[in-house]
Amino acid sequence: MRSIKRNLNLITAMLSLFLIGMVILVYKIYSESSFYILNSDSAVLGKIYDRNGEVLFDQNASPETYGYDYFTDVANLIGNDSGQMTNTLVSENIELLNNYSFSYGQREEDGKSAIYTTLNHNANREVYDSFGNKNGTAIAYNYKTGEILICVSRPGLNPFGGYENLEDGSLLCKAFYKFTPGSTQKISTLIAAREQMGEVLLNSKNFSCSGAYLNKSQQTIYCHQNSGHGEQDINAAFANSCNPFFAQLVEDMDFNMDTAIESYKKMGYSVNDSVPMKLEINNISVQTASTILNDKYEFSTQWGFIGQGETMVSPCMLMMWQSAIANGTGKATLPYLIHHTTDVTGSEDIHAAVKYTSELFKPETAEYVKQIMLNNGQRYSGSIYGYTVAVKSGTAQVKNGDEENSFLTGFNADESNPIAFCVLIEDRKPGEVTTEEIAGTILSSLS
């Protein structure tokens, strides 16, 4: 009797284990089948669209269907399913395009999985073309909502042309990668100074520029204007992008280095190898700002505050700071690319949401910097005609001074068309297209 009971218990235990195993197996098949189908040669993917219904990605695209250059302006942002590109909308969100589900199987003809983006393809093409033969990047978004409307990066990529003999940088969306920012960095330094000094004290600071300044460590900070700018205050120095003024401001007794570093960190900088801020846009990684700041009387630190040396910032982050200024809150609007998606059956999932960073700087600082940038923007009324813009330009020396990158970042103050932007032209030379001309194209294409 005991033997029979033991056998029954053993059989019951075995059946229980079998059933548990079957449940686990079914769950794994249900939960992981989509992954294996997606990574097989038979995966059928849905499309990606812009905000107006234009196709930005089609697994079965051909030049005959779309035209040879149709995708060139967005290809290194959107990416594809070839495995050649990472950190793109497709590579980081490919599961959202999978036209397979455990319940419905593979839907080749009528699968409805799709991503609907915030991008404006027509505006993207206009801005891409406005670069002419120059490389660089431009990114623009609605600083109220966070919708990325334009994001181009040159050299572009034509997915119909294959991956052989590509120009360096073709597979990257440069808007998300760090560059030496040049004098656009003076926005951050202005913010740091205003945060600790307040408006009245900062406005009282006057320094002279003769074209070169011998700092307290007996090192020379040169101005881009050889003859100098003479006596000037913060408004004039910002507009003139005067390096000697900002070097003297950093050396000033009322400019505290520890406080300035904390202001930088609050804005998202990694300072002196501190933990960097993490920033993603729909799973796409964005490199965040970094710098090295040690001794306020040393050339390298002053140069870092001015936007050279070890200071690095991505165009995307420069654009985001503009939203914190434009909105007058000191909080940046977080950007996004995906408005909504549909699954294999057509069910819709809304991804869009207006979100903000924590406070990067005080609202009073935002309003102060906004006014200074608006004053500076009046200088660009000819090249950015018809818009009230707040801007800051910058020239960054790269490749040991052999090349100069040209930057412009800012925003349209008209809240009926609330656009913040950043433009970078690499290795720009006199007589070539300017950043302000491209910024004008951005605003006119989105009006």
Side-chain angles (χ1 to χ4, degrees):
M1 197 70 182
R2 287 181 184 175
S3 176
I4 294 173
K5 193 170 184 179
R6 249 193 329 265
N7 289 337
L8 284 173
N9 289 337
L10 181 60
I11 293 170
T12 301
M14 291 176 66
L15 284 172
S16 298
L17 288 172
F18 175 76
L19 290 173
I20 291 170
M22 287 298 294
V23 169
I24 293 172
L25 178 61
V26 170
Y27 175 77
K28 286 181 68 68
I29 292 172
Y30 177 81
S31 61
E32 297 179 10
S33 59
S34 181
F35 171 82
Y36 290 112
I37 291 292
L38 192 58
N39 288 276
S40 71
D41 294 333
S42 61
V44 177
L45 302 179
K47 296 177 181 178
I48 296 179
Y49 299 93
D50 86 335
R51 65 192 300 110
N52 300 312
E54 283 202 23
V55 175
L56 302 181
F57 168 78
D58 180 351
Q59 185 182 31
N60 300 311
S62 68
E64 292 74 26
T65 305
Y66 292 98
Y68 189 71
D69 293 317
Y70 177 85
F71 295 104
T72 302
D73 60 297
V74 294
N76 50 23
L77 167 65
I78 302 299
N80 58 38
D81 60 325
S82 68
Q84 300 279 352
M85 303 171 69
T86 58
N87 210 40
T88 64
L89 198 63
V90 171
S91 69
E92 306 310 312
N93 298 278
I94 196 166
E95 71 282 353
L96 298 175
L97 296 172
N98 195 5
N99 269 318
Y100 168 88
S101 74
F102 184 78
S103 302
Y104 294 97
Q106 185 75 72
R107 305 281 284 266
E108 296 190 20
E109 300 298 327
D110 59 349
K112 297 176 182 177
S113 294
I115 293 174
Y116 294 82
T117 72
T118 59
L119 292 167
N120 184 320
H121 195 199
N122 288 331
N124 228 58
R125 279 192 291 250
E126 284 188 47
V127 174
Y128 182 89
D129 291 341
S130 71
F131 275 83
N133 63 354
K134 298 303 294 183
N135 290 334
T137 186
I139 182 169
Y141 82 151
N142 183 313
Y143 60 74
K144 295 289 185 185
T145 65
E147 299 164 278
I148 295 179
L149 304 168
I150 291 171
C151 188
V152 303
S153 181
R154 295 183 64 115
L157 171 70
N158 190 326
F160 299 131
Y163 294 90
E164 299 297 323
N165 302 315
L166 290 176
E167 193 173 346
D168 286 348
S170 296
L171 300 180
L172 299 175
C173 182
K174 295 177 182 177
F176 305 138
Y177 294 86
K178 293 193 291 189
F179 294 83
T180 302
S183 287
T184 57
Q185 182 66 17
K186 287 167 182 165
I187 299 171
S188 297
T189 302
L190 175 63
I191 288 169
R194 170 60 179 78
E195 287 282 271
Q196 61 178 285
M197 291 187 193
E199 180 175 347
V200 175
L201 182 58
L202 181 54
N203 285 347
S204 73
K205 300 297 179 182
N206 286 270
F207 302 110
S208 182
C209 168
S210 62
Y213 171 66
L214 188 67
N215 71 14
K216 293 184 180 178
S217 294
Q218 302 303 299
Q219 299 157 317
T220 303
I221 299 286
Y222 289 99
C223 189
H224 64 89
Q225 184 164 302
N226 294 334
S227 60
H229 294 108
E231 191 83 9
Q232 55 192 334
D233 63 9
I234 186 65
N235 281 275
F238 187 87
N240 292 326
S241 208
C242 180
N243 293 341
F245 179 97
F246 277 86
Q248 292 173 85
L249 179 65
V250 170
E251 285 187 339
D252 189 84
M253 62 181 295
D254 292 314
F255 189 93
N256 182 276
M257 270 288 290
D258 291 338
T259 306
I261 287 173
E262 286 307 307
S263 291
Y264 266 38
K265 288 181 178 179
K266 195 175 175 184
M267 290 178 66
Y269 285 84
S270 167
V271 184
N272 302 334
D273 298 320
S274 63
V275 178
M277 170 185 174
K278 184 178 181 180
L279 179 60
E280 288 186 344
I281 299 173
N282 298 118
N283 300 318
I284 296 173
S285 296
V286 180
Q287 290 185 346
T288 49
S290 61
T291 191
I292 301 296
L293 304 172
N294 291 312
D295 184 344
K296 65 185 286 184
Y297 301 113
E298 284 288 328
F299 176 91
S300 60
T301 293
Q302 292 173 10
W303 213 222
F305 277 114
I306 289 168
Q308 292 285 162
E310 298 295 322
T311 301
M312 302 283 282
V313 188
S314 68
C316 180
M317 205 164 187
L318 280 166
M319 176 193 73
M320 287 175 59
W321 288 330
Q322 295 306 301
S323 72
I325 297 167
N327 288 326
T329 62
K331 298 179 181 180
T333 310
L334 288 168
Y336 61 89
L337 278 163
I338 298 178
H339 181 270
H340 69 277
T341 59
T342 52
D343 66 14
V344 66
T345 66
S347 296
E348 188 174 291
D349 184 14
I350 301 294
H351 291 245
V354 181
K355 297 179 181 179
Y356 305 96
T357 63
S358 58
E359 186 178 280
L360 307 180
F361 40 86
K362 299 170 186 173
E364 312 90 81
T365 298
E367 291 292 347
Y368 177 82
V369 175
K370 181 178 183 178
Q371 192 55 57
I372 288 180
M373 292 187 66
L374 281 168
N375 292 340
N376 188 44
Q378 294 175 7
R379 298 152 54 110
Y380 294 83
S381 58
S383 48
I384 312 179
Y385 180 73
Y387 302 94
T388 303
V389 293
V391 294
K392 182 70 187 81
S393 63
T395 300
Q397 296 176 350
V398 296
K399 298 184 179 178
N400 297 317
D402 293 334
E403 295 181 6
E404 289 186 340
N405 290 344
S406 182
F407 277 90
L408 188 72
T409 188
F411 58 91
N412 180 26
D414 180 359
E415 295 191 5
S416 66
N417 189 28
I419 305 301
F421 57 83
C422 183
V423 179
L424 160 65
I425 301 174
E426 296 177 88
D427 191 23
R428 186 190 173 274
K429 294 178 171 59
E432 296 179 333
V433 64
T434 64
T435 51
E436 52 264 35
E437 287 171 340
I438 294 174
T441 301
I442 288 173
L443 295 177
S444 63
S445 68
L446 296 174
S447 295

